[in-house]
Amino acid sequence: DLTTLSLGLNELSGKIPVSFGTLKLTHLFLLIKGTGSVPEELGNLSSLVNLQLALNNFTGQLPQQVCQGGKLVYFTAAFNNFNGPIPVSLKNCRTLYRVRPEHNQLSGYIDQDFGVYPNLTYIDLSYNRL
């Protein structure tokens, strides 16, 4: 089984395939200088431990169920053009260790959209509309 998909530092273009949401991944690295939106189907990756969407030109909203499986430890979507709310699944994702959605246009309320994270060592929410 494929558990890690790393497409980092490429010059890929086009949309992220919706079919990525059917994979049994634990680690997904899409540091690809990508554009367009991230499919909501990535929220179907219930075994995901590490999701890195940083350093792209992604637009639209983040998938709302990025921590559907409750195993997500590392999440970054930094340096994109995401807008809209913080993913709802992050509120109850108690496994989080590092969270980096900085340099986007995310909106919401920190006290309502985030929960208690006993293992959290780093979070950067700067340069958003929170």
Side-chain angles (χ1 to χ4, degrees), residues 12-106:
L12 301 174
S13 61
K15 294 185 175 193
I16 297 171
V18 172
S19 61
F20 277 18
T22 64
L23 300 173
K24 304 291 184 211
L25 298 175
T26 56
H27 303 278
L28 179 57
F29 306 98
L30 295 177
L31 305 143
I32 56 175
K33 298 182 183 176
T35 59
S37 61
V38 173
E40 187 65 35
E41 286 79 4
L42 286 189
N44 296 337
L45 298 172
S46 60
S47 297
L48 211 54
V49 172
N50 192 336
L51 177 58
Q52 296 189 28
L53 304 172
L55 303 170
N56 290 288
N57 289 309
F58 292 139
T59 57
Q61 294 188 3
L62 286 165
Q64 291 299 297
Q65 298 303 319
V66 294
C67 189
Q68 175 184 328
K71 298 175 183 173
L72 195 62
V73 173
Y74 187 86
F75 173 67
T76 182
F79 298 95
N80 282 286
N81 293 302
F82 288 117
N83 59 36
I86 297 294
V88 295
S89 62
L90 289 183
K91 184 168 186 169
N92 297 313
C93 193
R94 296 179 52 84
T95 54
L96 287 171
Y97 181 75
R98 291 179 66 88
V99 179
R100 299 195 57 200
E102 75 267 20
H103 289 272
N104 283 287
Q105 297 173 32
L106 300 173

